Amino acid sequence: MRETGVDEEKAKRSERNVAVRVEHLRRTYNSVVAVDDVSFEVYEAEIFGMVGPNGAGKTTTIECVEGLRKLDGGSIQVLGLDPHRDGYDLRRRIGVQFQQASLQDRLKVWEALDLFSSFYPQSANWETLLKQLGLDDKRNAAFAELSGGQKQRLFVALALINDPEIVFLDELTTGLDPHARRAMWDLVREIHGRGKTVVLTTHFMEEAERLCDRVLIIDHGRIVALDSPESLIKTLGAENRVVFTAEGQFPTESLKSSSTVSRVETIGDRIIVYGHSDRLVVEVVNNLVSNGIRFRDLRTEQPNLEDVFLSLTGREMRD
């Protein structure tokens, strides 16, 4: 059944239009190879993520795709156009939010949107964008007066001002607090809901797992893996974990006898129970209750993209 599902997914992809095609991309900075033989496709109306640690080559790759950096090897097509040869035509059809950007401190929000809309022969209604991005009450605020999250919303609005077909978001949530980060996730979903293709880079694995249809994991300029988050995690074959603290003596043998439990680790009074079953936590809790064992701080841990990266590279994500 699993193979059939894979075949069906491949068939669906083959029917979709390719928005971005990158083949054997190579980019160097003097003796440093930033991107080394990277190839991938992005399909229309999907959220595609490039994930990996800082310095992995994500920003260099996306800037090559946007036409901001020249290639040392390979080829790129975006909406059927060459980013360098057809740069003028392409820039009218894509929107870009840069990893690092700024505006004049005294420039007001509405002035920035009005100015940027004048750069294009056709543009979205910036008054509508203000409301959609939650900036209407900040329309007369100067750029310097905005919070970090509000500045990011403004830069996203500027990326959408030309009503692009593809939106590129480079490290959108870096430097934001958890609340602002989740608000940005909702914003990305809203943009995708309008039928836009979204290409984003991030070094937050949770962000990629929550948002992306497919993710390309990159490290040291090379592709480590490319698939949907769910498929990557399933391929890993990692176990679910139930972690809790036992009060008093804990007989691990009572859990080891369960068919859903593969192994049990004891670290002081902390117990880690491993297993593949979705019913693992139910079985563990029932076992503890039936044996009259008191416990606290129980939580579940499921395999995620962090585990995938660790499995494939042999190390945890670095800052």
Side-chain angles (χ1 to χ4, degrees):
M1 291 298 291
R2 186 173 181 275
E3 290 298 324
T4 301
V6 171
D7 291 341
E8 289 176 354
E9 180 62 24
K10 288 182 178 179
K12 289 179 182 178
R13 289 179 186 173
S14 66
E15 296 172 359
R16 299 170 68 179
N17 293 326
V18 175
V20 177
R21 178 176 284 113
V22 176
E23 296 181 336
H24 306 293
L25 173 62
R26 181 178 174 84
R27 170 68 188 186
T28 62
Y29 299 98
N30 297 321
S31 61
V32 177
V33 180
V35 181
D36 188 9
D37 194 27
V38 167
S39 300
F40 62 91
E41 292 179 344
V42 179
Y43 301 103
E44 287 185 355
E46 78 169 336
I47 302 180
F48 182 89
M50 283 188 283
V51 302
N54 291 330
K58 304 185 301 297
T59 294
T60 296
T61 299
I62 200 172
E63 288 182 350
C64 288
V65 173
E66 294 161 351
L68 300 177
R69 294 189 184 276
K70 293 183 178 179
L71 319 182
D72 291 318
S75 63
I76 297 175
Q77 279 197 332
V78 182
L79 298 173
L81 302 173
D82 182 297
H84 293 281
R85 187 183 62 234
D86 309 310
Y88 179 78
D89 291 332
L90 181 61
R91 281 189 287 274
R92 293 188 299 175
R93 301 175 63 185
I94 66 173
V96 178
Q97 169 268 324
F98 296 103
Q99 182 177 158
Q100 294 182 336
S102 187
L103 295 172
Q104 291 181 332
D105 286 348
R106 295 184 179 181
L107 190 67
K108 295 180 180 180
V109 169
W110 77 265
E111 291 174 332
L113 289 163
D114 188 56
L115 174 64
F116 274 64
S117 68
S118 69
F119 297 159
Y120 301 96
Q122 292 183 332
S123 62
N125 186 310
W126 61 260
E127 295 270 7
T128 302
L129 281 176
L130 272 178
K131 296 176 182 177
Q132 290 176 335
L133 299 184
L135 290 171
D136 199 31
D137 61 337
K138 296 294 181 180
R139 60 184 295 126
N140 292 313
F143 178 75
E145 299 171 354
L146 302 178
S147 68
Q150 290 165 346
K151 287 178 179 179
Q152 287 292 61
R153 285 181 175 271
L154 176 56
F155 288 131
V156 172
L158 295 177
L160 297 173
I161 198 69
N162 59 324
D163 194 22
E165 297 167 54
I166 305 178
V167 183
F168 293 95
L169 307 173
D170 191 7
E171 298 286 3
L172 178 65
T173 64
T174 296
L176 299 184
D177 61 62
H179 177 75
R181 180 173 296 136
R182 281 165 175 74
M184 282 293 145
W185 294 354
D186 290 338
L187 178 56
V188 172
R189 295 185 186 103
E190 289 175 17
I191 294 170
H192 178 249
R194 300 176 203 168
K196 308 292 185 186
T197 303
V198 178
V199 179
L200 62 85
T201 73
T202 181
H203 63 275
F204 296 115
M205 288 299 197
E206 181 188 5
E207 184 166 286
E209 196 172 330
R210 294 285 189 92
L211 292 177
C212 298
D213 297 306
R214 290 187 302 136
V215 295
L216 181 154
I217 300 178
I218 187 171
D219 191 33
H220 295 302
R222 297 186 67 89
I223 293 177
V224 176
L226 172 58
D227 209 330
S228 69
E230 296 82 2
S231 295
L232 289 173
I233 292 169
K234 281 184 179 179
T235 302
L236 179 64
E239 298 166 305
N240 296 323
R241 301 177 290 272
V242 177
V243 183
F244 61 93
T245 300
E247 297 184 0
Q249 191 68 24
F250 177 71
T252 57
E253 292 75 15
S254 64
L255 279 174
K256 290 178 180 178
S257 62
S258 172
S259 61
T260 63
V261 175
S262 59
R263 58 195 172 100
V264 180
E265 288 183 4
T266 302
I267 306 174
D269 61 353
R270 186 163 164 264
I271 311 299
I272 307 174
V273 184
Y274 296 84
H276 290 283
S277 173
D278 292 335
R279 288 184 50 81
L280 179 65
V281 65
V282 176
E283 295 288 343
V284 170
V285 170
N286 287 343
N287 186 292
L288 294 173
V289 172
S290 63
N291 284 282
I293 299 170
R294 300 182 65 181
F295 61 93
R296 54 186 168 83
D297 302 329
L298 185 143
R299 69 180 187 275
T300 60
E301 297 178 354
Q302 294 181 318
N304 53 35
L305 285 181
E306 294 274 3
D307 296 311
V308 173
F309 186 85
L310 176 61
S311 174
L312 295 175
T313 66
R315 61 186 183 279
E316 295 182 352
M317 281 279 289
R318 61 187 184 275
D319 292 333

